[in-house]
């Protein structure tokens, strides 16, 4: 007989703040580097290829290991994995901060990705087991989602503030005291949980999950960047075969890393797809926005970060609205509406990019932040609510894998589209000996223009800025189209519960999932001080 879910007490809500701090920092680490690239490049002098790896290897390692680490947490204990990952993240951050060469920084960023892969699914799966009441879990995930979105948007602000006073390594070193605080508070506040009967850990499945993600992301990045070599071809073949082998193996295992039958549930599959498309668009926006504010509008790093605050604040505010709106609109419809709202924000951004008044840009970012914040919260909640608590780590890992793939592919595809459009806009200009540098990027064009005679430099810089803005506007329209597609998917596929299901309904649903997965159904007691 299953026990009715009990409300979470104050201790668990305090523990939620600790978990939210961890996910905020991880999200910051994913975007803070964009604003530190100029200072980092001047200090370490990386090649263009090394610079790409410095930015990408974090997402590669993170996305490739999330499923494996989520399942590992289900087995050895989510709290244990979380605290171990926090220690590793702090050590890797210190190595990155004091890296003497580009090669060392690449290795440190890879270690950060490995440690981050232990943290991301652990935070979400612990929330799933701490908050057993459906409405409390939705609120908790709203806070978690808001902190993740806010962290991604706040990365440039934090980075800008640090770079105003310190060297480029400070954007990594700040992680160390925060992770230390997470470990100290986590030992006391966070409850331990695990799957009591997880079955054997399949190493071949873990290897196939890695091979199904990293090579395909690498191939897409190489092809999108115009490097269609033998390496990209081999990676594409491996990335195409490995998922097929992975799925076939999961269907045969008694205790799979991912229960692929979950994707037959509309709520689960639709939420994963919508989550991926939402973060795909947001990551592309964040990639362009810092460059636009600094290199076109002329703001310094800190000022550029401050002007992105509307996006951050709106995403945080979405956590306060999700409960009320969910009860009135329904999950699928609300996710779809949120995506359309964000798409409208991108439409406003297209207009704001051509205007000098900052208020238009602030309005556009506010609309985007509200829409994306709501969508990411609700899709994440739909994923983790679709499985029983003992499989929370695996489900959380699937959600986080979709998130990280969205980040990596959003930057790769939308960044490559923007670069292609930027270069095409410069084709008609006679740039002489400066052509290669100007066509490389707006940052290079700005540096070249500074070394030319005043009138010639002004002409070159104006042409490069116009090309950048035109390319950004077209790419922003493409992002809006992606969100419209995501909205249609969510509206048609995700069920429209207007209120949280009754306890009996959720227990019955969990039992059905248990029959499909073969995993035991476990209801843990509220060990965090909640009222009975």
């Amino acid at each position: 007989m299953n026990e009715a879910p009990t409300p979470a007490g104050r201790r668990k809500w305090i523990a939620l703040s600790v978990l939210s701090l961890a996910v905020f920092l991880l999200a910051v680490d994913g975007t803070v580097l964009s604003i530190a690239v100029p200072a980092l490049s001047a200090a370490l002098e990386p090649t263009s290829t090394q610079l790409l790896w410095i930015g990408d290897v974090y997402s590669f390692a993170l996305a490739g290991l999330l499923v494996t680490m989520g399942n590992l947490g289900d087995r050895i204990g989510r709290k244990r994995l979380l605290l171990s990952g926090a220690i590793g993240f702090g050590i890797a951050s210190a190595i990155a901060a004091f890296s003497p060469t580009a090669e060392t920084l690449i290795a440190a960023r890879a270690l950060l990705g490995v440690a981050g892969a232990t943290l991301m699914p652990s935070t979400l799966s612990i929330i799933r087991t701490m908050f057993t009441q459906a409405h409390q879990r939705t609120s908790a995930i709203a806070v978690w989602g808001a902190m993740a979105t806010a962290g991604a948007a706040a990365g440039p602000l934090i980075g800008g503030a640090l770079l105003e006073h310190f060297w480029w390594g400070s954007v990594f070193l700040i992680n160390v005291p925060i992770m230390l605080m997470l470990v100290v508070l986590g030992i006391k506040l966070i409850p331990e949980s695990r799957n009591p009967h997880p079955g054997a850990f399949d190493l071949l499945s873990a290897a196939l999950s890695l091979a199904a993600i990293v090579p395909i992301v690498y191939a897409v990045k190489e092809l999108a960047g115009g490097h269609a070599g033998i390496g990209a071809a081999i990676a594409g073949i491996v990335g195409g075969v490995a998922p097929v082998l992975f799925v076939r193996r999961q269907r045969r295992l008694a205790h799979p890393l991912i229960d692929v039958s979950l994707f037959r549930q509309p709520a689960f599959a639709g939420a994963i797809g919508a989550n991926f498309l939402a973060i795909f668009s947001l990551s592309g926006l964040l990639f362009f926005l810092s460059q636009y504010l600094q290199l076109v509008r002329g703001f310094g790093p800190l000022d550029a970060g401050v002007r992105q605050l509307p996006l951050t604040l709106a995403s945080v505010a979405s956590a306060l609205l999700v409960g009320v709106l969910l009860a009135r609109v329904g999950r699928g419809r609300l996710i779809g509406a949120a995506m359309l709202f964000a798409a409208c924000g991108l439409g406003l951004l297209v207009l704001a990019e051509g205007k000098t008044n900052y208020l238009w840009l602030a309005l556009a970012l506010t609309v985007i932040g509200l829409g994306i914040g709501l969508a990411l919260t609700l899709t994440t909640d739909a994923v983790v609510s679709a499985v029983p608590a003992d499989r929370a780590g695996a489900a959380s890992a699937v959600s986080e894998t979709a998130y990280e793939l969205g980040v990596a592919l959003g930057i790769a595809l939308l960044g490559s589209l923007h670069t292609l459009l930027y270069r095409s806009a410069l084709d008609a200009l006679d740039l002489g000996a400066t052509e290669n540098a100007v066509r490389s990027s707006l940052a290079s064009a700005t540096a070249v223009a500074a070394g030319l005679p005043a009138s010639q430099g002004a002409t070159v810089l104006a042409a490069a800025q116009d090309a950048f803005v035109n390319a950004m506007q077209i790419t922003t329209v493409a992002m809006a189209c992606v969100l419209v597609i995501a909205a249609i998917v969510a509206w048609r596929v995700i069920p429209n519960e207007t209120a949280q299901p009754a306890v009996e309904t959720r227990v019955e649903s969990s039992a059905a999932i248990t029959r499909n997965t073969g995993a035991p159904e476990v209801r843990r007691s509220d060990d965090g001080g909640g009222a009975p």
Side-chain angles (χ1 to χ4, degrees), residues 240-280:
V241 173
V244 177
L245 297 177
F246 178 79
V247 170
R248 291 180 62 181
R249 184 165 183 80
Q250 301 316 293
R251 287 175 174 171
R252 294 198 302 265
L253 292 175
H255 301 282
L257 287 187
I258 296 177
D259 177 18
V260 293
S261 66
L262 287 174
F263 286 91
R264 298 172 187 165
Q265 298 183 47
F268 189 90
I272 289 292
N275 186 286
F276 170 82
L277 294 175
I279 197 62
F280 176 90

Side-chain angles (χ1 to χ4, degrees), residues 154-491:
L157 172 62
I158 294 172
L162 290 171
L163 291 172
E164 288 283 329
H165 304 286
F166 305 104
W167 91 115
W168 64 266
S170 61
V171 302
F172 297 111
L173 195 60
I174 193 177
N175 297 341
V176 176
I178 296 177
M179 283 299 170
L180 180 60
M181 181 172 63
L182 171 64
V183 171
V184 172
L185 294 176
I187 291 173
K188 181 177 178 61
L189 294 172
I190 297 173
E192 183 59 282
S193 63
R194 60 172 59 87
N195 185 346
H197 306 290
F201 186 82
D202 187 51
L203 290 175
L204 180 56
S205 291
L208 286 172
S209 70
L210 187 66
I213 295 172
V214 174
I216 198 67
V217 174
Y218 173 78
V220 168
K221 282 182 173 287
E222 289 293 292
L223 292 172
H227 307 295
I230 185 66
I234 294 174
I237 293 171
V238 173
V241 173
V244 177
L245 297 177
F246 178 79
V247 170
R248 291 180 62 181
R249 184 165 183 80
Q250 301 316 293
R251 287 175 174 171
R252 294 198 302 265
L253 292 175
H255 301 282
L257 287 187
I258 296 177
D259 177 18
V260 293
S261 66
L262 287 174
F263 286 91
R264 298 172 187 165
Q265 298 183 47
F268 189 90
I272 289 292
N275 186 286
F276 170 82
L277 294 175
I279 197 62
F280 176 90
S281 298
L282 180 63
S283 62
L285 170 63
L286 293 174
F287 179 75
F288 306 131
L289 194 58
S290 291
Q291 298 181 67
Y292 169 75
L293 290 171
Q294 292 182 74
L295 300 176
V296 177
R297 290 290 181 98
F299 298 118
L302 179 58
D303 288 339
V306 168
R307 281 163 175 77
Q308 295 182 59
L309 270 178
L311 183 68
T312 306
L313 297 177
S315 65
V316 173
S318 67
L320 305 176
L321 302 174
V322 64
V324 175
L325 294 176
L326 180 60
R328 294 175 180 237
V329 180
R331 191 188 304 276
R333 286 190 291 266
L334 183 55
I335 294 174
M339 297 283 195
L340 286 176
F341 194 65
C344 291
L346 288 172
L348 285 174
L349 185 62
V350 172
L351 300 176
E353 288 161 359
K355 296 182 180 296
T356 57
N357 192 332
Y358 169 73
L359 291 178
W360 283 100
L361 184 63
L363 175 62
L365 294 179
T366 300
V367 174
I368 294 168
L370 280 173
I372 294 292
L374 282 170
L376 290 179
T377 295
L378 291 165
T379 53
T380 302
D381 184 37
V383 171
V384 299
S385 299
V387 301
D390 57 276
R391 296 289 291 165
S396 301
V398 174
S399 175
E400 291 306 322
T401 299
Y403 182 99
E404 290 302 326
L405 281 176
V407 170
L409 294 179
I411 293 174
L413 295 180
L414 295 174
S416 297
L417 173 61
H418 181 272
T419 300
L420 178 64
L421 293 169
Y422 169 77
R423 291 174 177 173
S424 297
L426 294 172
D427 283 343
L429 299 178
D430 182 13
L431 300 172
T434 66
E435 180 174 357
N436 289 337
V438 173
R439 286 169 58 84
S440 176
S441 68
L442 181 57
S444 296
T446 303
V448 167
L452 296 173
S455 59
Q456 184 181 359
T459 301
V460 169
L461 182 59
Q465 288 177 336
D466 287 343
F468 185 94
V469 171
N470 289 335
M472 188 174 176
Q473 288 175 321
I474 297 173
T475 307
T476 302
V477 171
M479 289 188 284
C481 293
V482 168
L483 286 182
V484 171
I485 294 172
I488 295 172
V489 170
W491 195 285

Side-chain angles (χ1 to χ4, degrees), residues 64-147:
L65 291 171
L66 280 167
V67 171
T68 297
M69 293 301 183
N71 278 270
L72 186 61
D74 285 343
R75 287 162 168 78
I76 70 171
R78 293 143 189 162
K79 175 181 177 179
R80 178 182 299 176
L81 186 66
L82 175 74
L83 298 182
S84 300
I87 294 171
F89 200 89
I91 294 172
S93 296
I95 295 173
F98 296 103
S99 295
T101 64
E103 292 85 355
T104 305
L105 182 55
I106 291 170
R109 289 277 290 170
L111 290 176
L112 282 170
V114 174
T118 69
L119 292 170
M120 290 293 274
S122 296
T123 57
L124 195 52
S125 56
I126 290 171
I127 290 173
R128 172 67 176 85
T129 56
M130 282 199 309
F131 296 91
T132 55
Q133 283 196 340
H135 71 280
Q136 284 193 332
R137 181 168 59 250
T138 298
S139 298
I141 291 176
V143 173
W144 181 93
M147 293 301 285

